[in-house]
Amino acid sequence: MGNKGQQRQGGMASHGKLAMSAATPNSGFERYLRYPLVDAIFKRRSRRISQGIGEVSAGSLTWHSNDKPHPLTELEQSILIAATGITGITMPDMPDRTEAGSQLLGSPMVNAIGRAASSPDNAQATVFIMIDDSGTYLLRKPDFTLPPGTVPAADDLVRAAQQAKRRILGRRLEFPRRFPCYVGRNRMVSNLPGTTIFMPIVDLSRQYINGMMYLLSQADGQRPAFIDDWNFYRWAGCKRWIKNGFLNPNLKLPLGYLGTFRIHVEADLLVQNLLLTIQAMGLGGWVHAGFPGPFLLGDPSYRARYGPGLGFDFSKPKLDWRVFLRPVTPLPAWSPNPIALGDHLKAFCPPNYSDMASAVDAVLAEKYGPGGLYSTPEAFAPSFKPGLAQTFIDEVPHYDPDVVACTKEICTYIYETYGRFPAHVDAFHVPGIWVQTHHLALDYYDTLYAHGYSDSQAQHRELWHGEES
């Protein structure tokens, strides 16, 4: 089958085709701002074939094209980056006193600035790796935020994206196009020229510590006792806290059950943001398996075969006698732990800190130390009416000293037992998926499918690039 399709598709009955004279340089962005959420939800589909693919081999349905790849523009890319980025200031709108008037922990949050998706304790632990034809980038938080409730203009988004991007590699990150680097037929349509990839990586270390302190801030008699279900169900460094009555031995909480402390959920929500934004912009795209975490980050066990990947630093556990338990100890407890990416990312664990007590202190310093989140009213001031942010800072309860001390002993147990922290998950967790976005090969869908794309894809070239659809 050739590349000449029939009449352009799309949901024209609901929106109508725009007259050519109506398109302006910002027509696409303006349409994106007005695109209905309900349409984004119900018209979103995985559309995998990007402009520039020369052939889709499918027997009698094989399709050929001479089109060249069409990379995303800077604005298009910036909008997608914004869908994973900072959107304003959060509100600490929770009680911090019990029904009887005693104190409840009121300072579990790690950040005051708000992101485009919810995050456990507003940890904002997810960063994205962005891959395109120009290179491989780490997306960091931009240095500025807009006033609460402000809808960003196009130049705001471009400026924020420029600040967020840190080039890691001067090329598109690539691995051999075979399993286990690519799964099945993904190798034929994924990470191709002209496409942009967004891949989440989650720093579990900070919120692992913070989340543990939050769990230990329950009322007397309701604090769980941590057990290590990967080490014969031993008490996980908290035996003395059980003996003194601080922890309830009947509320056993296995470290393996806790897993990621749900921190990875933030990445899942941000991925959905990307997919809805792709639909609203009229692009193609899909979520699918990305490079395996050890290859992506550059686990030294695989570097000789697959290369350094992103070049993370790893800490290799000193197994000593535990080497004999390796056959019955699940991964990743005995494997190298990704703990840093140059000066860009550093986990809250040794060797970045002298010990786990120091790592816990570093988390506390970010919250309560000089200039910390809960030390001055500046971070929360945009959320409160005038003067109330200072009242909040003056009165909000902090972590109890016993909670801090108990957390240090549990974290120290994990590190001393396994030679790494965390042990039951990696410090930097790779969910193993990525979102690819691209300009859609409309002719492919015109040739083969009755309703291959929606009005937003049908009108994209006209609205965003001034080309006739």
Side-chain angles (χ1 to χ4, degrees):
M1 291 188 177
N3 67 341
K4 295 299 182 183
Q6 287 73 43
Q7 183 177 358
R8 284 280 180 255
Q9 303 171 16
M12 300 305 175
S14 60
H15 291 286
K17 181 169 172 58
L18 286 161
M20 286 298 295
S21 60
T24 68
N26 281 327
S27 291
F29 181 69
E30 292 164 2
R31 175 66 177 276
Y32 158 72
L33 293 178
R34 299 193 307 270
Y35 196 80
L37 175 61
V38 67
D39 281 5
I41 292 172
F42 283 94
K43 295 182 179 180
R44 183 216 62 79
R45 289 292 179 271
S46 292
R47 298 181 176 95
R48 302 171 177 87
I49 305 304
S50 60
Q51 187 175 345
I53 287 182
E55 178 182 283
V56 178
S57 181
S60 299
L61 301 181
T62 294
W63 174 84
H64 302 275
S65 174
N66 295 319
D67 285 349
K68 301 299 183 184
H70 184 184
L72 302 189
T73 66
E74 184 176 29
L75 176 58
E76 288 170 331
Q77 218 171 63
S78 298
I79 293 170
L80 290 160
I81 292 172
T84 73
I86 302 304
T87 56
I89 307 295
T90 59
M91 296 177 292
D93 53 345
M94 289 287 282
D96 60 19
R97 298 296 186 274
T98 67
E99 296 85 348
S102 58
Q103 288 190 344
L104 279 171
L105 174 69
S107 53
M109 289 200 299
V110 179
N111 291 282
I113 55 175
R115 199 168 184 178
S118 295
S119 171
D121 297 330
N122 203 24
Q124 297 179 22
T126 303
V127 298
F128 276 86
I129 299 298
M130 190 186 79
I131 306 171
D132 65 13
D133 294 339
S134 68
T136 300
Y137 301 85
L138 173 71
L139 301 182
R140 301 294 306 271
K141 294 182 203 174
D143 295 332
F144 74 96
T145 56
L146 297 170
T150 301
V151 177
D155 57 349
D156 292 324
L157 297 180
V158 170
R159 187 166 72 256
Q162 290 171 344
Q163 291 189 5
K165 291 168 65 174
R166 297 291 184 272
R167 190 191 296 266
I168 304 300
L169 300 172
R171 57 178 173 82
R172 181 182 288 271
L173 182 64
E174 182 62 291
F175 289 93
R177 288 191 170 261
R178 60 177 183 269
F179 186 82
C181 303
Y182 287 89
V183 179
R185 56 188 181 176
N186 288 357
R187 71 182 184 274
M188 305 172 77
V189 294
S190 183
N191 197 28
L192 298 179
T195 66
T196 297
I197 301 290
F198 292 91
M199 189 170 195
I201 297 175
V202 187
D203 174 7
L204 299 182
S205 62
R206 177 194 278 108
Q207 180 57 15
Y208 200 102
I209 293 169
N210 186 61
M212 186 173 292
M213 287 191 284
Y214 195 6
L215 289 175
L216 293 174
S217 296
Q218 309 309 304
D220 290 344
Q222 299 177 37
R223 298 185 197 94
F226 289 84
I227 60 173
D228 188 355
D229 48 324
W230 290 7
N231 190 22
F232 305 105
Y233 292 85
R234 294 174 55 193
W235 296 118
C238 56
K239 186 179 294 186
R240 82 175 180 97
W241 297 96
I242 295 169
K243 288 182 178 180
N244 68 17
F246 184 71
L247 302 181
N248 184 345
N250 297 316
L251 290 175
K252 297 181 176 68
L253 195 51
L255 292 172
Y257 171 79
L258 286 169
T260 67
F261 268 78
R262 304 189 183 110
I263 306 165
H264 72 281
V265 171
E266 173 192 306
D268 298 339
L269 297 174
L270 290 166
V271 162
Q272 179 68 356
N273 275 7
L274 285 167
L275 296 175
L276 295 178
T277 302
I278 287 168
Q279 171 58 30
M281 294 174 67
L283 297 169
W286 54 310
V287 58
H288 56 289
F291 299 138
F295 306 167
L296 176 73
L297 304 186
D299 187 324
S301 306
Y302 299 96
R303 286 193 183 189
R305 184 172 182 181
Y306 293 104
L310 295 174
F312 269 70
D313 297 325
F314 280 73
S315 176
K316 188 174 182 179
K318 295 180 181 178
L319 296 176
D320 299 328
W321 63 270
R322 286 198 59 81
V323 70
F324 299 107
L325 297 180
R326 176 169 168 170
V328 295
T329 304
L331 285 169
W334 46 265
S335 64
N337 191 23
I339 48 88
L341 178 61
D343 293 330
H344 302 293
L345 302 171
K346 290 190 181 295
F348 284 75
C349 62
N352 298 330
Y353 296 89
S354 59
D355 51 37
M356 283 309 303
S358 299
V360 173
D361 285 338
V363 174
L364 293 169
E366 289 188 347
K367 293 163 72 82
Y368 308 127
L373 181 61
Y374 294 97
S375 298
T376 64
E378 281 75 14
F380 290 104
S383 292
F384 282 100
K385 291 188 174 181
L388 295 183
Q390 184 64 61
T391 302
F392 169 73
I393 293 298
D394 290 341
E395 298 181 3
V396 64
H398 294 189
Y399 285 122
D400 182 88
D402 282 345
V403 166
V404 173
C406 184
T407 298
K408 288 181 176 180
E409 293 190 24
I410 296 170
C411 292
T412 297
Y413 161 85
I414 294 171
Y415 183 74
E416 292 183 349
T417 300
Y418 294 98
R420 49 173 284 157
F421 180 89
H424 302 69
V425 289
D426 284 332
F428 285 99
H429 169 68
V430 178
I433 58 172
W434 66 26
V435 175
Q436 174 173 302
T437 182
H438 47 252
H439 288 110
L440 200 63
L442 298 177
D443 287 337
Y444 169 79
Y445 294 92
D446 287 340
T447 301
L448 294 175
Y449 297 99
H451 302 288
Y453 51 84
S454 72
D455 55 332
S456 63
Q457 284 81 26
Q459 298 171 4
H460 179 88
R461 293 180 183 177
E462 176 184 342
L463 290 173
W464 291 83
H465 307 289
E467 301 173 7
E468 185 175 357
S469 299

